[in-house]
Amino acid sequence: MNTEHLTAGLAQAVMSSVPETSAEAMKEARKGLLDFTAAAFAGRRDKGIEKLIKLAEEEGGAPTAPLIGRNQKTTPSQSALINGFIAHALDFDDVHSDVRGHPSAVILPALIAAASSGHIDESRFLGAYVTGIEVMARLGESAGRHHYEKGWHNTGTLGAIAAACAVGFAENLNQNELQKAIGFAAARSGGMRVQFGTEMKPLHAGLAAQAGLFAVKLAKAGFGGSDHALDGEKGFFGLYGDLERAETLLLNGWGKPWRIVSPGLWFKVYPFCSAAHHAADAILKLKAEHGLTFGQMERTDVIYPPGGDAALTERRPKTGEAGRFSVEYVIALALHGKDFSAKHFTSEPIPESLQKGFARIHRSYDDQIQPADNAVPKGRFTIVRVTASGNHVYETRIDCPKGAPGNGLSEKDIEDKLRLALPGEEEKAEELIKAAGQSNIERYLQLI
Amino acid sequence: MNTEHLTAGLAQAVMSSVPETSAEAMKEARKGLLDFTAAAFAGRRDKGIEKLIKLAEEEGGAPTAPLIGRNQKTTPSQSALINGFIAHALDFDDVHSDVRGHPSAVILPALIAAASSGHIDESRFLGAYVTGIEVMARLGESAGRHHYEKGWHNTGTLGAIAAACAVGFAENLNQNELQKAIGFAAARSGGMRVQFGTEMKPLHAGLAAQAGLFAVKLAKAGFGGSDHALDGEKGFFGLYGDLERAETLLLNGWGKPWRIVSPGLWFKVYPFCSAAHHAADAILKLKAEHGLTFGQMERTDVIYPPGGDAALTERRPKTGEAGRFSVEYVIALALHGKDFSAKHFTSEPIPESLQKGFARIHRSYDDQIQPADNAVPKGRFTIVRVTASGNHVYETRIDCPKGAPGNGLSEKDIEDKLRLALPGEEEKAEELIKAAGQSNIERYLQLI
């Protein structure tokens, strides 16, 4: 392998993948599909969706693909866009530490759109999902931590290529078509973290899904393009990432084990950014152990490894939506006795009384603390130290929050997450659980 | 101005622009519109168009916007995409040295799509075009030469924001809507030079047009996004460009004069990459003066300033399409007694006899030669030195090729370019010339 053959190597790895033979990978894929569905149903009434549907209706087109939880169909392209948004709207969908972003909210909407057009063999659907996760995890590792820290939003920048590979796998592209599709997707790889806390963040997932789907359509139409878009200094990794890392990390050990199995998807128990989940577990633990309240709290310190809070762009959020990216808001909510349900993370304003407390919550960074072996993501921890009246100090540390691999959700937990997302529609929830459990994609598409 | 207010500053500059009061700018805009139309009609039978139309037809949708030269309508979004491709298909459309790319092939398809939806006041159409060129020129200067040289394709990376600003101007967005639209467009700013010589290169123009149009639709729908997407180290310039340059070059001296006037658009006389136009003029001159033929030529040296041939990515092209980016092909064509008409730059293979000569054509670079004051682009020159049998050496140097500002096309020249692009449709050509000359956009849209 050298950097002149990354595109060909990736296309070959994708098209020769046989994830269906790994029972573990397929089990995780079924869990991932169900968790994605739960996140999407939980988010299906987000206000942004109405705006996107109105634009799609204005545009018109052949309605063949479902919008999750909306009893409505649109064109496949519009459905990829809008379902990406729906799934990621609450930031309640899975993350993956290699991706440092949200793979399923990109890959599954693209696959659902392709499957709805009848272009794919449905027995390849879950295998395509596993393969798409593999691609996106490896793009993330190849791009390196600097990619994210510079300001790129990995869900958008890595998602289009991953979605193209997943759909390409499902549609059985040939090697050359897939190489071209990768290049078409690369041209639409974008998205910046400055959009965190706005409706544009979840739309990045939808845009990447739509771009990946279109890339495959172009390739199948015989549209001309470079076969080497990832290669060399002027290719994708040279521009967005780290060519040297890509040389070893893009393909070595492909599927051994599948990245959907290890490090695995992180299924969320709270509808906000995963970088605040450690602190959320910590504050709930301190509350449960010591009965702390907001009134007693004089100061809270939240201690990260350097860069560990990069995703938490909001220190003084004004709405619940921005609060998804604020550890200050999460801690203040808990100390005010509120739960972490989706209703606290909408576009509604955060009460003044709660906002006032943010100034008492301080972030700091410590590069001397050893991360734990089971830390998720690798190298991460969060210490929450509450100083209460009377100079009492309460402190706890979380390395692997609930939901993260190693402390993960069982199938039953995920099924319950779906049931909770479908109040009053118990029958539908059970049918969805059954369809996902049986890998019955045709039925699944009828139900969403 | 500091780098925290680039987005707000750009939106304000756009919305307070009054280019309609500059007779010179409006004259150049009418020329630009006509030249764009000529390039699009010349390219309207390119094979890639059929592939894109087929995908659009599959998708369906309300057909309200024209495809240039095709007697067919599609949705505005599809029309922006496909017209961008049509206009840039032959690389016969204008370039701008500040942009280092193709502004009109992005901005005008977006405006045509918006105008076709009836959303805009048509009296603002040409002003919007002038303003879009201003934005794209200034984005190009702000991004700096390293942006292009790293491998980005400026038409794609700068075009989406420029198209959003042009359509935003035409649709009278308010300041906040335009700031958001800029951010939405930034998320889809992409395109790499590795696609040069393939159908994907012209599609970058269409993708940028489509992205700019969609960005404005999102903003008008009240979709939420960052108001500061260009600002700071993690914003657009931090990621794609050069924040320090942007601080002074993005807004200083806005519209004084308009960039469409100075340095002005370069209207092409040949349907290939502008970086080969100097050499094309030179070889035609040597041929006319000395009657050189391919048989006599033992060696040709083409001498550039360092980086001056960066766009000419093809040294051994196999098709006429790739030959658009090959100075070797251009010189070999001329010495073989062929003209530079579009038929030599299609996807057809280049004859072996001609390909064999490429090895005798050598590029070199000289940083000791002083560029001329009238050089276009600034700092550029090309020397062509032909060594013929009998050790005769013929040499000439071109600093400002035909068509470039300073050696530009007259209105009559551009009208003739359009007439040539519409063989057998003389009446339509005259009507288009009349409509563009009278800034009659309604009529123009009926005719294309």
Side-chain angles (χ1 to χ4, degrees):
Chain A
M1 171 61 43
N2 67 47
T3 62
E4 293 305 314
H5 295 91
L6 294 171
T7 319
L10 181 62
Q12 191 172 24
V14 166
M15 295 317 300
S16 58
S17 288
V18 195
E20 295 87 346
T21 57
S22 162
E24 251 188 316
M26 297 313 279
K27 181 182 165 192
E28 290 306 310
R30 287 189 297 270
K31 282 170 74 176
L33 178 64
L34 206 60
D35 186 80
F36 160 88
T37 313
F41 272 97
R44 67 176 151 162
R45 295 205 177 84
D46 189 274
K47 286 179 187 170
I49 301 167
E50 302 288 348
K51 302 171 199 169
L52 296 173
I53 289 178
K54 197 166 156 252
L55 293 181
E57 285 173 348
E58 243 176 71
E59 207 171 69
T64 57
L67 299 184
I68 302 174
R70 306 285 310 193
N71 294 315
Q72 185 175 353
K73 289 187 174 185
T74 62
T75 68
S77 172
Q78 293 160 349
S79 124
L81 179 78
I82 300 175
N83 283 336
F85 181 88
I86 294 175
H88 193 30
L90 299 181
D91 231 294
F92 202 15
D93 54 309
D94 62 85
V95 291
H96 190 285
S97 58
D98 293 344
V99 174
R100 205 165 180 176
H102 296 261
S104 301
V106 179
I107 295 164
L108 286 171
L111 284 171
I112 287 167
S116 304
S117 326
H119 286 316
I120 74 178
D121 175 356
E122 285 179 3
S123 72
R124 282 176 81 76
F125 187 98
L126 288 179
Y129 174 37
V130 172
T131 307
I133 298 274
E134 190 76 8
V135 174
M136 200 156 163
R138 285 161 174 283
L139 291 175
E141 275 204 298
S142 301
R145 56 180 282 195
H146 291 300
H147 177 76
Y148 185 87
E149 285 167 11
K150 273 179 76 172
W152 294 110
H153 179 202
N154 293 19
T155 303
T157 53
L158 313 176
I161 294 173
C165 288
V167 175
F169 175 93
E171 298 202 13
N172 275 308
L173 295 196
N174 66 37
Q175 165 90 15
N176 187 268
E177 287 169 341
L178 189 58
Q179 282 182 236
K180 286 195 165 50
I182 289 167
F184 300 146
R188 300 174 84 189
S189 294
M192 309 189 297
R193 287 204 292 117
V194 293
Q195 298 290 0
F196 279 21
T198 77
E199 288 179 335
M200 191 58 182
K201 190 208 179 203
L203 195 64
H204 285 165
L207 287 167
Q210 188 182 46
L213 187 73
F214 188 62
V216 171
K217 280 181 197 283
L218 282 174
K220 286 173 69 184
F223 202 73
S226 166
D227 300 328
H228 304 286
L230 306 181
D231 303 359
E233 280 180 14
K234 293 194 168 60
F236 178 81
F237 289 111
L239 287 169
Y240 291 85
D242 186 325
L243 193 57
E244 217 171 295
R245 288 176 66 88
E247 193 174 338
T248 52
L249 296 173
L250 186 65
L251 297 170
N252 284 356
W254 183 270
K256 291 174 188 167
W258 293 99
R259 296 296 170 94
I260 200 173
V261 174
S262 175
L265 294 170
W266 172 347
F267 300 119
K268 290 185 167 187
V269 293
Y270 313 124
F272 49 78
C273 178
S274 64
H277 281 218
H278 305 66
D281 280 5
I283 196 72
L284 290 181
K285 188 163 172 241
L286 291 177
K287 264 195 62 174
E289 287 172 7
H290 310 289
L292 289 172
T293 66
F294 191 77
Q296 296 168 331
M297 185 267 279
E298 291 186 343
R299 176 188 173 98
T300 297
D301 289 282
V302 192
I303 302 151
Y304 288 95
D309 67 335
L312 301 170
T313 49
E314 307 288 327
R315 286 160 188 257
R316 299 289 180 267
K318 302 217 178 304
T319 65
E321 188 177 48
R324 290 176 204 152
F325 303 91
S326 174
V327 72
E328 293 79 7
Y329 179 55
V330 164
I331 286 175
L333 262 185
L335 290 176
H336 270 93
K338 311 285 188 194
D339 63 24
F340 291 149
S341 62
K343 67 172 186 265
H344 294 124
F345 295 91
T346 70
S347 54
E348 295 295 311
I350 296 172
E352 281 294 328
S353 59
L354 222 141
Q355 286 193 45
K356 272 195 304 196
F358 295 162
R360 279 188 269 153
I361 303 168
H362 302 268
R363 304 188 195 183
S364 60
Y365 310 93
D366 192 327
D367 61 1
Q368 299 301 309
I369 297 173
Q370 274 300 316
D373 288 342
N374 70 337
V376 179
K378 216 175 142 188
R380 183 77 56 85
F381 59 80
T382 307
I383 295 168
V384 174
R385 181 188 299 141
V386 179
T387 308
S389 34
N391 228 6
H392 294 292
V393 176
Y394 306 97
E395 177 176 318
T396 192
R397 164 178 170 164
I398 301 288
D399 297 278
C400 181
K402 183 155 185 225
N407 190 9
L409 300 191
S410 68
E411 281 174 282
K412 172 73 169 51
D413 290 333
I414 295 174
E415 289 169 7
D416 286 344
K417 183 171 166 180
L418 181 72
R419 289 182 184 107
L420 268 173
L422 277 162
E425 295 183 77
E426 290 77 12
E427 203 176 316
K428 187 172 203 164
E430 299 313 318
E431 284 202 70
L432 276 163
I433 290 166
K434 196 171 143 199
Q438 295 174 342
S439 310
N440 184 345
I441 302 306
E442 194 181 338
R443 183 72 188 130
Y444 173 83
L445 292 175
Q446 290 163 355
L447 288 165
I448 57 175
Chain B
M1 171 60 43
N2 68 46
T3 62
E4 293 306 316
H5 295 93
L6 293 172
T7 320
L10 181 62
Q12 192 172 23
V14 167
M15 294 317 298
S16 58
S17 287
V18 195
E20 296 87 346
T21 58
S22 162
E24 251 188 316
M26 297 312 280
K27 181 182 164 190
E28 290 307 309
R30 286 189 297 271
K31 281 169 74 176
L33 178 64
L34 206 59
D35 186 80
F36 160 88
T37 312
F41 272 98
R44 67 176 150 162
R45 295 209 175 84
D46 189 274
K47 286 180 187 168
I49 301 167
E50 302 288 346
K51 304 172 198 168
L52 297 173
I53 289 178
K54 198 167 155 250
L55 293 181
E57 284 173 348
E58 241 176 72
E59 207 171 68
T64 58
L67 300 184
I68 301 174
R70 306 286 311 192
N71 293 316
Q72 186 175 353
K73 290 187 173 186
T74 62
T75 68
S77 172
Q78 293 160 349
S79 122
L81 179 78
I82 300 174
N83 284 334
F85 180 87
I86 294 175
H88 192 32
L90 299 181
D91 231 296
F92 202 15
D93 54 310
D94 62 86
V95 291
H96 191 286
S97 57
D98 292 346
V99 174
R100 204 163 180 178
H102 295 261
S104 302
V106 179
I107 295 164
L108 287 170
L111 284 171
I112 287 168
S116 304
S117 327
H119 285 316
I120 75 176
D121 176 354
E122 286 180 3
S123 72
R124 283 176 80 77
F125 187 98
L126 288 179
Y129 174 36
V130 173
T131 307
I133 298 275
E134 190 76 7
V135 173
M136 199 154 163
R138 284 161 174 282
L139 291 174
E141 276 205 295
S142 301
R145 56 180 280 195
H146 291 300
H147 176 77
Y148 185 87
E149 285 167 10
K150 274 178 77 172
W152 295 110
H153 178 201
N154 293 19
T155 302
T157 53
L158 314 176
I161 294 173
C165 287
V167 175
F169 175 93
E171 298 202 14
N172 274 306
L173 296 196
N174 66 37
Q175 165 89 18
N176 186 267
E177 286 169 340
L178 189 57
Q179 282 182 237
K180 287 195 164 51
I182 289 167
F184 300 145
R188 301 174 83 189
S189 294
M192 309 189 298
R193 286 203 293 119
V194 292
Q195 297 291 359
F196 279 21
T198 77
E199 289 179 334
M200 192 57 182
K201 191 211 178 201
L203 195 64
H204 285 165
L207 288 167
Q210 188 182 47
L213 188 73
F214 188 62
V216 171
K217 280 182 197 282
L218 283 174
K220 286 173 70 185
F223 202 74
S226 166
D227 299 328
H228 304 286
L230 305 181
D231 303 358
E233 280 180 14
K234 294 194 167 60
F236 177 81
F237 289 111
L239 287 168
Y240 290 85
D242 185 325
L243 194 55
E244 219 171 294
R245 288 176 65 89
E247 193 175 340
T248 53
L249 296 173
L250 186 64
L251 297 169
N252 284 356
W254 182 271
K256 291 172 189 169
W258 292 100
R259 296 296 171 95
I260 199 173
V261 175
S262 174
L265 294 171
W266 171 347
F267 300 118
K268 289 185 166 186
V269 293
Y270 313 124
F272 50 75
C273 179
S274 64
H277 282 217
H278 304 67
D281 280 4
I283 195 71
L284 291 181
K285 189 163 169 240
L286 291 176
K287 264 195 60 173
E289 286 173 6
H290 309 289
L292 291 171
T293 65
F294 192 77
Q296 295 167 332
M297 187 267 279
E298 292 187 341
R299 175 189 173 98
T300 297
D301 290 281
V302 192
I303 303 152
Y304 288 95
D309 67 334
L312 301 171
T313 48
E314 306 290 326
R315 286 160 189 259
R316 298 290 180 269
K318 303 219 176 305
T319 66
E321 188 177 47
R324 290 176 205 153
F325 303 90
S326 173
V327 73
E328 292 79 7
Y329 179 55
V330 164
I331 286 175
L333 262 185
L335 289 176
H336 271 91
K338 311 284 186 194
D339 63 25
F340 292 148
S341 60
K343 67 172 186 265
H344 294 123
F345 296 91
T346 69
S347 54
E348 295 296 311
I350 295 171
E352 281 294 330
S353 58
L354 222 142
Q355 286 193 47
K356 270 196 303 195
F358 295 162
R360 280 188 270 153
I361 302 168
H362 302 269
R363 304 187 196 186
S364 62
Y365 309 92
D366 192 326
D367 61 2
Q368 299 301 309
I369 297 173
Q370 274 301 314
D373 288 342
N374 70 336
V376 179
K378 218 175 139 186
R380 183 77 57 84
F381 59 81
T382 307
I383 294 168
V384 175
R385 181 187 300 142
V386 179
T387 307
S389 34
N391 228 9
H392 294 289
V393 178
Y394 307 96
E395 176 177 318
T396 192
R397 164 178 170 164
I398 301 288
D399 297 278
C400 180
K402 184 156 186 226
N407 190 10
L409 300 191
S410 66
E411 280 174 282
K412 170 73 169 50
D413 290 334
I414 296 174
E415 289 168 8
D416 286 344
K417 183 171 167 182
L418 181 71
R419 289 183 184 108
L420 269 174
L422 276 162
E425 295 182 76
E426 290 77 12
E427 204 176 316
K428 187 172 204 166
E430 298 313 319
E431 284 202 70
L432 276 163
I433 290 166
K434 196 171 142 199
Q438 295 174 342
S439 311
N440 184 345
I441 302 306
E442 195 181 334
R443 182 70 187 132
Y444 172 83
L445 293 176
Q446 289 162 357
L447 287 165
I448 56 176

